[in-house]
Amino acid sequence: MTDIISDPRYQSLLVLWLAVAVDAIWRWPQSTHPLTLMRYLVQQMGRKVVPSRDYGPSQHYISGTLAALVLLAPLVICIAILVYMAQYPIFFEAIILIALLDFGYQRQQYKRVLASVGRNKKSLAREMVQTMTARQCDSLSDIGIAKAAIESLWLKFLYLYCGVIFYYVVTGPIGALIYRLLLLTSWQWHYRTPSMVYFARPVRKLVYLLTFPPALFGGLVTLLVSHPIKGVSAIKRSPVKDKTSLLLALMGGVLNIKLGGPAIYANKKFRYTRVGGDCDVKYSNMIAAKSTITYAMLATTAVASLTLLALALT
């Protein structure tokens, strides 16, 4: 056992198992989490350097690109130097992956929404779901609360959980770090915020491309552990073919529920197309969504572990 732990070929696999185990059984307090500081820095950077509306889109594109580079590049370079020069890099790799794989917080918030909906505490449920999504939740109905919670948990499973694991397996801890910081930046500079429409576009387009492989991987895994025929049929029936709509159609088809539809951002309503199944969301569907995503998490970890093991043995 000691030989396996000390063997560099298996250390990446052990780091993955450790990070997944920590995410499953422990919650890093948000007040002391490294990504909390990064969210604050990204928000402050956006507020200080975003150009006024008097400037054209090109100036916003340039400012958004430079702001992301100035904020993220020095941090990534310093951490990369620390990892590659350390005598025991596995220690720092483990800390990095544990910090990046913070999907446990999203699951915890979802459980609180689930409990609030189950006790018919609508106001509390709206407050809880507001911590999971960027949309305005103060006027959501019971169905809207449940739908927003399911959509948020599902998409964050694909982009956050599957994304971090995917890029850790493919590119190592520094690649996963770059991906997670860009994802965080894209979420903080939300493109539905009026002042961020053009400013956030360069990072958003890059993140759109980066999230495609893990979303495809996570979607395929979810189909395998649930109802593949229903999911594929819902994808084919989807009247719109953008990435988010197809992913929501997949989960909606698996659970036979309607996802998508109108959403309010910054006091403005956006009418998205409803996709997925035929039924409105119910409390039981929230429980089923949680179980489906849990099974998909286990399958994702298993596939990633087998991949790392195959790489170690070659």
Side-chain angles (χ1 to χ4, degrees), residues 20 35 94 113-114 116 135 139 146-147 176 202 223 252 269 296 300 304 313:
V20 170
L35 292 181
V113 175
L114 190 62
S116 300
R135 69 174 66 179
S139 61
K147 189 164 58 173
L223 286 175
K269 180 178 284 190
T300 298
L313 295 176

Side-chain angles (χ1 to χ4, degrees), residues 64-131:
T65 303
L66 292 178
L69 284 173
V70 169
L71 184 61
L72 302 182
L75 176 63
V76 171
I77 292 172
C78 290
I79 293 178
I81 293 174
L82 177 64
V83 171
Y84 292 126
M85 293 185 64
Q87 186 174 359
Y88 298 104
I90 185 175
F91 172 78
F92 294 101
E93 291 181 11
I95 296 297
I96 291 171
L97 193 59
I98 289 172
L100 300 181
L101 200 66
D102 61 338
F103 187 56
Y105 175 75
Q106 309 299 328
R107 298 198 307 276
Q108 183 183 54
Q109 296 304 98
Y110 185 85
K111 289 179 182 178
R112 291 176 177 174
V113 175
L114 190 62
S116 300
V117 172
R119 295 196 296 267
N120 200 28
K121 295 184 177 181
K122 189 180 295 186
S123 297
L124 181 60
R126 288 184 183 131
E127 292 179 8
M128 290 295 101
V129 81
Q130 185 67 73
T131 65

Side-chain angles (χ1 to χ4, degrees), residues 38 41-51 59-75 181-182 185 189 196 199-200 202-203:
M38 283 305 304
L41 293 176
V42 169
Q43 286 179 346
Q44 292 300 109
M45 175 67 81
R47 290 171 183 169
K48 288 183 178 296
V49 305
V50 61
Q59 183 61 46
H60 283 253
Y61 299 155
I62 294 171
S63 297
T65 303
L66 292 178
L69 284 173
V70 169
L71 184 61
L72 302 182
L75 176 63
L181 291 179
L182 287 171
T185 303
W189 296 346
M196 294 286 178
F199 181 81
V203 173

Side-chain angles (χ1 to χ4, degrees), residues 247-258:
L247 293 174
L248 293 180
L250 188 158
M251 178 55 74
V254 165
L255 301 176
N256 194 29
I257 57 176
K258 299 175 184 176

Side-chain angles (χ1 to χ4, degrees), residues 6 9 35 49 73 83 108 112 118 140 148 200 203 205 265 275 288-289 294 306 311:
S6 60
R9 296 179 299 172
L35 292 181
V49 305
V83 171
Q108 183 183 54
R112 291 176 177 174
L140 288 179
V203 173
K205 286 187 174 295
Y265 295 90
V275 294
T294 299
L306 291 174
L311 293 173

